[in-house]
Amino acid sequence: MLRGGIPIPSILDIAKLAGVSKTTVSKVLNHQYGVHEDTRKKVWEAAAELHYTPNIAARTLVTSKTGVIGVVYDSFSSPIYMELAGKLEHFAAEKGYHLVFCSCNARQEAKQHYIQYFMGGAADGVIIFGSAKDDLPVIQRLMALQFPFVVIENHFEELEIPNVLVDNQAGARQAVHYLHRLGHRSIVHVTGNMEHRVAMDRQAGFREAMEALGLDTGSDAFISTDGSNGCGVGAAQQLMGMNKKPTAVFAFNDLIAYEMMDTLHQAGYRIPEDISIVGFDHLAGVLSFKPGLHDLTSIAQPLSAVAEAAVEIVAAAAAVEEGISRFRLFTPELKEGHTCARVQRQ
């Protein structure tokens, strides 16, 4: 066949270039298991070199597979969503999948619409990233219809679902214990949106560590925000208005931490001399927020491991492959920067 006068490469052409059989090429292009990763990579490289473009519609009719995984986000506004997206794309491509990203802008009806679209034949599986408490009905529907999916970040104690989680409580405890070792006793937690599980878990970990160390967890130990962009400015203003100012802050995420530091810096505060700050996520995109001004101490999420696990779980479910663990829990790690200082015991 010709496309614009140029011959269209066939599966046989790919097989010859890759040095494998037509059957092997067919398995790789149709995302079937039983092919060694090195061979799979060789086939995709040959397909790329030949500019092979599969007929998705025809393949779907034959295999009932689209080669697509849908990714449903709460919102693209948070830096962590964008950083994870690139990692998901990398691992999906290794398995021969394309990703289609959808942002719900925190609207549950939009999330239901996108998931219904993917379940209607547009994708072989769905990755849901976000931790809204009202996601439960959507997840229950996916379970009832046995559609391949995995949930990153959110969890529900009453359900056993395909899950990839970071231990946010453990990360928050690390932050508190680190500040305590530096001599801090007056520590404030700036929360995220408490309608989201991740914010609840980080607050719970903070409270648990503070209580274990005998530190105050009254109302003055918390500054509440909705987690949106810009809320760190208001949090810094609230902190500056406190009668008894804390010596350290544990922020819900890096963006809030940087917004706070920028606001405090403009008001004449020195970091970490006047106040120490710990963030959460350790995102490369956010770490360049104020280059040269701050090197944030932060709790790092292992996003590459999270992305790889999520793709593996949903791809295995789409292929009806057994023996793959559907639950992964990763422990974050504190990365020490230059935003925390030792203080005299209070």
Side-chain angles (χ1 to χ4, degrees), residues 89-277:
E89 284 183 319
H90 170 76
F91 291 109
E94 284 191 344
K95 291 188 175 295
Y97 277 97
H98 302 285
L99 299 184
V100 175
F101 293 89
C102 298
S103 173
C104 303
N105 294 316
R107 289 167 35 244
Q108 192 59 225
E109 61 272 18
K111 184 171 292 184
Q112 294 172 0
H113 168 78
Y114 286 131
I115 289 177
Q116 186 62 45
Y117 168 72
F118 289 131
M119 292 174 64
D124 300 332
V126 172
I127 296 172
I128 301 174
F129 181 43
S131 61
K133 291 191 291 186
D134 57 2
D135 280 354
L136 183 59
V138 165
I139 292 170
Q140 288 176 321
R141 177 167 173 74
L142 285 164
M143 293 181 67
L145 296 177
Q146 298 184 332
F147 188 74
F149 77 100
V150 65
V151 177
I152 301 175
E153 196 173 76
N154 210 355
H155 62 98
F156 299 90
E157 286 79 2
E158 64 270 36
L159 297 177
E160 289 188 14
I161 61 175
N163 237 164
V164 179
L165 302 174
V166 171
D167 193 336
N168 286 289
Q169 291 192 33
R173 292 194 297 267
Q174 286 183 56
V176 173
H177 283 280
Y178 172 75
L179 291 168
H180 186 266
R181 289 195 299 273
L182 292 177
H184 295 278
R185 299 297 181 266
S186 178
I187 307 170
V188 164
H189 174 45
V190 179
T191 76
N193 186 340
M194 298 306 289
E195 291 300 311
H196 288 217
R197 174 69 66 175
V198 64
M200 295 170 60
D201 287 347
R202 290 178 191 177
Q203 185 194 61
F206 171 83
R207 186 185 296 276
E208 180 182 322
M210 292 283 283
E211 290 176 348
L213 293 168
L215 303 182
D216 180 33
T217 57
S219 59
D220 287 344
F222 299 92
I223 295 176
S224 297
T225 81
D226 62 3
S228 62
N229 291 350
C231 68
V233 175
Q237 292 170 343
Q238 187 172 336
L239 184 149
M240 288 186 287
M242 289 180 170
N243 291 326
K244 183 181 177 183
K245 294 177 179 58
T247 63
V249 170
F250 166 52
F252 166 71
N253 63 19
D254 291 348
L255 184 57
I256 290 175
Y258 272 115
E259 289 173 345
M260 291 188 71
M261 288 191 292
D262 197 33
T263 304
L264 291 167
H265 179 76
Q266 292 179 40
Y269 284 75
R270 298 168 304 156
I271 298 165
E273 292 85 357
D274 296 328
I275 189 161
S276 294
I277 297 183

Side-chain angles (χ1 to χ4, degrees), residues 28 32-33 35-44 94:
V28 172
Q32 296 174 5
Y33 285 80
V35 179
H36 192 277
E37 280 302 317
D38 290 342
T39 304
R40 190 181 297 276
K41 182 180 179 182
K42 190 185 301 181
V43 169
W44 282 112
E94 284 191 344

